[in-house]
Amino acid sequence: MKAAGALLAVLLLAAPQGQPARSQKATTPQGLRLAALMEADSLADPQRLLNYANGGDPAVQGVAIRALGNRRDRSLTRLLLPFLQASDERVRDEAVGAVVQSLKGEPLPGDPELVPAVERLLMSAASPLASWALGHLPYTTAEEVKTAERFLADGGHPPLADGLEALARRNPKLVSFDPETIDRLAAVVKREAPGAWYASLGALLAAHALDADTAKAAVEFTARKPEEDEDAAEVRRLATTALSGGAAPLSAVERSSAITRLLGDPWYTVRYEAVRAYARREAASRGCQPLVDVIRDTSLHVALAALDALGQSCPTDDAITDRLVAESRTPPPIGSWHREAHAFVALAKRAPERAVISMPAFRQHTVWQVRMYAARAAEAMKDVPTLQILAQDSTDNVVEAALGPLRKLDPAAADTPGPKLVPPLADALARVTKENKDTSRDTRLALIDAIRAHAQKGDTTALTALLKDYDGVVATAAAAAIRSLTGEAVRPAPVPKPRPSIGPVTPVHAIVRMKSGGWFGLDLGFDRAPLAAARFVRLAESHYYDGLSFHRVVSNFVIQGGSPGANEYAGDRDYMRDEMGVARNTRGSVGVSTRGANTGDAQLYINLVTNQRLDGDFTIFATVAGARDAMSVVDQIAEGDEILRIEIIR
């Protein structure tokens, strides 16, 4: 500890000094916390946040420390290090996450020892989360990685598997676990030693260090107590992915037997991976009947996986083709359309000539998602006329699904560059800009790029006003386009617009009611992501989410929803601020979907399984309440299922 203290003193000597006096406007803890949140939301001068970080109230300090970390600026790392040794546990934990986030910034010139120094300080930190942080540091040498590994696998305690898993996954070219580390992780999976089962197996897989005995133990992993069911299923699921990818060193007979058994696992998450493993590893030699058998699985995730797999498995089996023809009946206008649409795409890949007769019914269907799947089928069939029809669809998502393959199959359909296109592009840019939405950024960047490509040299009429746009990214893009068209260097001068009000930050709960009749609760994390939680509450109470859908369902990953356009691009008008920390993407956790730093648009995602690879990269603001029972409702949500309303319980 003395060595760590001396190191900290040296680091602090290099930290920027001098901080302005604290504002006297807010004096109560609640007022100070709200003031700190407002500073965080406005991306204020870091020095102002440091005032709050150095205050005496842990809740206020936590807000400021988290906000400083989310600047992703290594010049702030040294200022955050003292908080690793704060007396309050909440402050220490926030500092752990903030230090990791700050190190995502660009390396500082002349400071190669920063990461090794942080590594040593984390090893002496009192926070139990320091082990997680050690796995997420941006290491550059094998020596740094080995130092972290040996600390995390120290024989004096169970291996800190979450840190080891991240260490191996994030540093594949630098990591090479010691035999002792591998043995200790394997002992956890075999239940010969205490520790985290799932993370230990994940660490072995990430390090390519899974042996046959441990693999067998993992695929047969069962709960000894009812409360262990879900955790045990997660271990089997991860082991099944290893069977599919070849990371489990089992004999062909052992692998085949394990996959067959796992097709009947009580947990759908395991069966889903078993379907994928069978299609990849077994279908060619054993036939596709097991895949046909699970088409009627009680889980839609599993059934759709089987239908998708049959699009390319056992291609010479006419009975399989006949079955897909039967499954490709016209979907009903109301209700689930998923089995029929997936079967139709599979048929289009497998036997395009037999899909032709059904195409008119799919491309003219009243449900736009069915027409979107028709575009995917048309791509597989190389059906240019259908793609041309769907490229004129009234729903943007169908148009997008058709245009990409249409341009590949019919290059003549692509736009021909020319100045005649500039006026309509400029009109569209002006119209979208007038909406004053942060979340129009992607659309406006695409329009700026198109204008640059089509405009005559020197014609910057549509771009000049954007130099003072409210979005600095758009202003910078406009400046670059003007420079390209004129050869003159111009400087963007963005004028940020006022931020929306934060709203109450008192803890509440939410109930998400689906139009299907099911519902699930959410415990909102006002302690770990108050800005995101407050935005969610404000939007829910204004009925923003009513009628919106979960437009993206990725089995054994996430469901995503809350977009007015039912796509990745449309969301609430104002971007949200990142609040990443040490919250994990465990099964049932709820995060903010983003497309870059500080681009949350109120779309949310729910983790269907534990997704460690997302940790530290997304704001987690809620957890599905009563996770084991409530998650059964979430597990049944299908692509396009709509939210009836979200109720806030105070």
Side-chain angles (χ1 to χ4, degrees):
M1 292 297 290
K2 289 183 179 179
L7 173 62
L8 181 59
V10 172
L11 289 170
L12 290 177
L13 289 175
Q17 301 297 313
Q19 300 170 9
R22 181 194 304 276
S23 169
Q24 299 299 313
K25 293 182 179 180
T27 56
T28 66
Q30 294 85 354
L32 287 170
R33 184 166 184 254
L34 181 59
L37 284 170
M38 292 174 66
E39 298 285 10
D41 189 59
S42 66
L43 298 180
D45 183 341
Q47 290 291 340
R48 289 157 63 181
L49 286 168
L50 281 167
N51 280 336
Y52 293 103
N54 286 312
D57 184 88
V60 177
Q61 289 180 283
V63 168
I65 290 168
R66 186 188 311 118
L68 286 167
N70 276 277
R71 296 298 178 88
R72 301 174 189 83
D73 183 349
R74 292 196 184 194
S75 69
L76 299 174
T77 304
R78 296 181 184 279
L79 296 171
L80 292 166
L81 293 177
F83 299 108
L84 292 173
Q85 298 181 343
S87 59
D88 189 273
E89 181 180 5
R90 291 170 293 175
V91 175
R92 294 196 301 269
D93 290 349
E94 288 290 356
V96 168
V99 167
V100 170
Q101 292 299 323
S102 71
L103 287 171
K104 292 181 180 179
E106 292 296 320
L108 300 176
D111 197 4
E113 292 301 313
L114 179 59
V115 173
V118 172
E119 180 181 40
R120 292 192 292 273
L121 282 173
L122 284 171
M123 290 178 183
S124 66
S127 171
L129 299 172
S131 63
W132 174 88
L134 282 169
H136 286 78
L137 296 184
Y139 298 110
T140 57
T141 70
E143 181 182 3
E144 294 169 355
V145 171
K146 183 59 68 176
T147 298
E149 176 209 329
R150 289 177 175 168
F151 174 82
L152 293 168
D154 185 280
H157 50 68
L160 300 172
D162 55 350
L164 288 168
E165 186 277 335
L167 189 71
R169 171 170 44 82
R170 296 169 65 90
N171 301 279
K173 295 182 179 179
L174 299 177
V175 75
S176 178
F177 281 171
D178 291 336
E180 294 80 8
T181 300
I182 295 171
D183 289 344
R184 299 203 70 218
L185 291 168
V188 174
V189 178
K190 296 175 185 176
R191 282 182 162 161
E192 297 169 355
W197 309 323
Y198 181 84
S200 296
L201 178 59
L204 290 170
L205 287 171
H208 304 286
L210 183 66
D211 62 32
D213 288 342
T214 309
K216 291 176 186 176
V219 297
E220 296 172 358
F221 202 94
T222 56
R224 295 175 179 173
K225 304 174 184 177
E227 58 268 26
E228 295 176 352
D229 277 351
E230 189 168 298
D231 294 336
E234 282 285 82
V235 174
R236 295 196 304 279
R237 177 187 65 80
L238 189 57
T240 310
T241 65
L243 293 175
S244 177
L250 302 180
S251 69
V253 173
E254 290 171 328
R255 183 189 66 209
S256 179
S257 175
I259 292 174
T260 300
R261 183 175 67 257
L262 292 165
L263 283 170
D265 195 273
W267 281 78
Y268 89 87
T269 54
V270 180
R271 299 197 304 277
Y272 173 84
E273 295 298 346
V275 166
R276 299 180 70 191
Y278 187 92
R280 182 173 183 179
R281 293 286 179 177
E282 303 296 318
S285 59
R286 296 179 55 197
C288 286
Q289 189 57 45
L291 296 177
V292 174
D293 291 341
V294 297
I295 287 177
R296 293 301 166 190
D297 193 277
T298 55
S299 167
L300 188 61
H301 294 280
V302 179
L304 297 185
L307 287 168
D308 293 344
L310 289 173
Q312 295 175 311
S313 300
C314 309
T316 61
D317 189 334
D318 291 339
I320 300 296
T321 305
D322 291 341
R323 179 61 183 268
L324 286 177
V325 170
E327 294 288 341
S328 299
R329 56 191 175 276
T330 304
I334 299 175
S336 178
W337 47 266
H338 306 82
R339 293 177 188 268
E340 295 87 349
H342 279 257
F344 182 58
V345 174
L347 179 64
K349 293 177 179 178
R350 182 186 187 88
E353 71 284 354
R354 298 193 65 179
V356 170
I357 192 171
S358 299
M359 178 58 83
F362 278 82
R363 74 182 179 212
Q364 297 170 14
H365 203 276
T366 56
V367 176
W368 69 260
Q369 287 96 338
V370 175
R371 301 197 302 276
M372 182 175 68
Y373 274 78
R376 296 174 185 174
E379 178 181 12
M381 298 163 64
K382 297 181 172 53
D383 182 355
V384 171
T386 289
L387 289 171
Q388 290 173 332
I389 292 171
L390 294 173
Q392 304 297 320
D393 196 89
S394 59
T395 300
D396 290 342
N397 296 331
V398 178
V399 173
E400 182 183 28
L403 280 178
L406 179 60
R407 288 194 173 108
K408 292 179 182 177
L409 295 171
D410 184 13
D415 296 330
T416 302
K420 291 183 179 180
L421 288 173
V422 173
L425 289 170
D427 288 345
L429 179 59
R431 184 175 66 255
V432 175
T433 298
K434 190 175 181 180
E435 293 175 352
N436 204 34
K437 293 182 178 180
D438 290 346
T439 47
S440 68
R441 176 186 291 172
D442 289 342
T443 300
R444 295 199 294 152
L445 290 177
L447 288 168
I448 289 171
D449 189 57
I451 290 172
R452 179 198 57 76
H454 296 301
Q456 292 180 326
K457 289 293 183 181
D459 183 4
T460 63
T461 306
L463 302 172
T464 303
L466 294 179
L467 293 174
K468 295 183 178 181
D469 194 78
Y470 55 86
D471 187 333
V473 175
V474 171
T476 300
I482 291 172
R483 190 178 307 116
S484 174
L485 290 168
T486 65
E488 299 178 6
V490 293
R491 295 178 62 86
V495 181
K497 64 180 180 179
R499 295 288 296 164
S501 62
I502 293 174
V505 290
T506 53
V508 295
H509 301 278
I511 294 177
V512 181
R513 297 193 183 278
M514 303 297 297
K515 283 191 176 180
S516 62
W519 66 273
F520 57 92
L522 294 179
D523 287 335
L524 299 177
F526 278 88
D527 55 338
R528 59 193 176 195
L531 292 173
R535 174 78 72 93
F536 176 82
V537 169
R538 177 169 64 81
L539 292 176
E541 291 190 321
S542 68
H543 304 285
Y544 172 85
Y545 291 105
D546 295 6
L548 301 187
S549 68
F550 285 95
H551 62 272
R552 181 178 179 227
V553 175
V554 184
S555 300
N556 276 12
F557 183 46
V558 302
I559 62 172
Q560 180 179 334
S563 165
N567 57 41
E568 300 287 308
Y569 313 109
D572 187 31
R573 63 183 301 115
D574 297 301
Y575 278 143
M576 303 164 71
R577 302 309 186 200
D578 292 337
E579 296 176 275
M580 273 95 78
V582 294
R584 313 295 178 82
N585 282 269
T586 53
R587 173 171 157 83
S589 58
V590 185
V592 177
S593 173
T594 61
R595 298 187 301 280
N598 296 307
T599 59
D601 58 4
Q603 290 193 42
L604 57 91
Y605 70 88
I606 304 177
N607 285 293
L608 297 177
V609 298
T610 295
N611 290 305
Q612 291 170 304
R613 62 190 173 93
L614 302 182
D615 288 351
D617 291 333
F618 295 89
T619 298
I620 300 296
F621 73 95
T623 304
V624 174
R628 297 185 192 279
D629 294 330
M631 278 301 292
S632 64
V633 175
V634 175
D635 289 336
Q636 295 175 38
I637 291 175
E639 180 183 356
D641 281 1
E642 294 183 2
I643 298 168
L644 178 64
R645 64 180 179 275
I646 298 178
E647 301 170 2
I648 301 300
I649 311 300
R650 298 187 181 278

